Amino acid sequence: MRIGLIGTGRIGTFHADVLNRHRDVGSLVVADMDAARAARVADRIGATAAPSVDEIFAWGVDAVVITSATSSHAELISRAARAGLPCFCEKPIALDLPGTLAALREVELAGTVLQLGFMRRFDAGYAAARQLVRSGRLGRLHTVRAITSDPAPPPASFLPLSGGLYRDCLVHDFDILRWVTGREVVEVYATGSDAGPAIFAEAGDIDTAAAVLTLDDGTLATATSTRCNGAGYDVRMELAGELDQFAVGLDDRTPITSTEPKGPPPCDNPWPGFLERFAPAYEAELDAFVKVVGGERENPCDGREALHALRIAEACELSRSEHRPVALTEIAGG
């Protein structure tokens, strides 16, 4: 099959490499607002560079992969839908609910496929946790703890475009919480701090956040995130039940040091970032998309999953700004 990839930044270049060597992808066409950057990527991997995004649609492709700037996602999803093309898009669909809902309506009207890039659903550890919850090994699940910590702040120029820590970063935790537990969030209470580098306060963002989430069966979850975890990239989930307790993301590269005399040794090779930590998951989600396009499997992460996660992020933003619990029924799009 012939796939068009739009956006050749860091994640787009990674995806281009994966798609280019996929056995079922016969040809790959790449495009970027920076045509020279797209040409460099294409030359390196032997793909075709399009002069602009328009050629992706004009030259005839079987599917579109969107890894461009967040602000372009909704428009490109809608354009792919109107062209009748299956589409894979990195999260988010849009940084607000109206934009997200509008793009989803286009997809539904066209009857096309939209797969969202929530890569943690394709990580072996999270998949195992999901099975353990459903197997009953934990008994009644009562507590979930989710952690996402970046090793260093992003460029200052990125922050005003990111949507904020809840929408850009913790949205992954909100999605995977729903996927692993099979439950819905009904209420949140969230807070955040901008006490770190000045770039966060200047952008109206926060560098550290915490949220307490109540699920529809009474399970309590916490989700914490920071942009300033100098020890390394740390993404974990702990699930505690009446019978047992399990952890995702706890391995010899987890950037945490025990103070106990008989604890595990300090990590000497911590995860540096998301591409390294989740490389197999990114490959698996693209393989799934190729199979969806080829009619070999159902869509594993429909676009509406992004809406559910965004609504939780919106509730957290409202909770932080108004210093109160927020029910998900207060957030549009439910």
Side-chain angles (χ1 to χ4, degrees):
M1 68 181 66
R2 181 175 172 88
I3 290 184
L5 181 141
I6 303 171
T8 53
R10 182 166 55 157
I11 190 64
T13 298
F14 181 92
H15 284 350
D17 286 331
V18 171
L19 290 167
N20 193 60
R21 64 176 181 264
H22 195 287
R23 63 186 181 278
D24 294 328
V25 178
S27 62
L28 179 67
V29 183
V30 300
D32 194 285
M33 286 187 65
D34 183 343
R37 182 168 68 175
R40 288 193 296 271
V41 171
D43 288 344
R44 181 177 59 81
I45 64 177
T48 300
S52 71
V53 171
D54 291 340
E55 282 77 19
I56 291 286
F57 295 96
W59 287 356
V61 294
D62 299 304
V64 174
V65 171
I66 299 170
T67 56
S68 52
T70 294
S71 58
S72 67
H73 287 186
E75 178 187 352
L76 290 171
I77 288 169
S78 297
R79 189 169 180 181
R82 291 192 294 270
L85 293 172
C87 177
F88 173 94
C89 185
E90 278 298 331
K91 67 83 187 168
I93 292 175
L95 289 177
D96 59 17
L97 287 169
T100 299
L101 290 166
L104 287 173
R105 280 195 294 271
E106 292 270 18
V107 173
E108 290 167 5
L109 285 170
T112 52
V113 168
L114 170 60
Q115 181 182 327
L116 254 292
F118 282 122
M119 78 290 186
R120 294 187 195 181
R121 294 181 176 218
F122 297 87
D123 176 75
Y126 284 106
R130 188 174 191 260
Q131 286 299 112
L132 286 167
V133 170
R134 283 155 176 73
S135 73
R137 284 274 300 279
L138 284 83
R140 181 184 68 86
L141 180 67
H142 52 70
T143 307
V144 182
R145 307 175 191 94
I147 298 167
T148 293
S149 299
D150 286 335
S157 59
F158 170 77
L159 293 176
L161 309 175
S162 72
L165 193 58
Y166 295 109
R167 298 185 190 94
D168 177 59
C169 194
L170 275 168
V171 73
H172 280 291
D173 297 273
F174 302 150
D175 175 72
I176 205 65
L177 174 64
R178 296 180 58 250
W179 189 74
V180 168
T181 65
R183 313 304 307 192
E184 297 295 341
V185 174
V186 296
E187 185 180 82
V188 308
Y189 189 89
T191 188
S193 169
D194 63 2
I199 58 173
F200 292 97
E202 291 167 0
D205 197 3
I206 52 177
D207 62 85
T208 303
V212 177
L213 308 104
T214 303
L215 307 190
D216 57 11
D217 64 347
T219 299
L220 296 180
T222 59
T224 62
S225 182
T226 183
R227 300 283 199 185
C228 304
N229 195 55
Y233 183 70
D234 187 10
V235 172
R236 282 178 283 139
M237 175 181 274
E238 299 172 1
L239 299 108
E242 291 183 338
L243 301 180
D244 211 338
Q245 181 171 234
F246 296 97
V248 179
L250 189 60
D251 60 19
D252 60 357
R253 299 191 69 180
T254 304
I256 189 168
T257 300
S258 173
T259 61
E260 298 298 328
K262 295 184 179 180
C267 170
D268 60 3
N269 184 30
W271 294 109
F274 63 91
L275 278 180
E276 296 82 3
R277 166 67 177 85
F278 288 109
Y282 280 118
E283 293 203 29
E285 70 177 359
L286 286 176
D287 179 66
F289 179 63
V290 172
K291 287 182 168 61
V292 170
V293 175
E296 298 178 44
R297 66 171 294 175
E298 295 296 315
N299 187 351
C301 190
D302 180 79
R304 294 198 70 83
E305 300 302 302
L307 174 62
H308 295 308
L310 178 60
R311 291 181 67 245
I312 300 170
E314 293 286 342
C316 287
E317 286 286 8
L318 182 60
S319 175
R320 180 177 72 91
S321 65
E322 298 188 358
H323 303 286
R324 66 176 179 88
V326 172
L328 264 292
T329 53
E330 298 181 52
I331 307 301

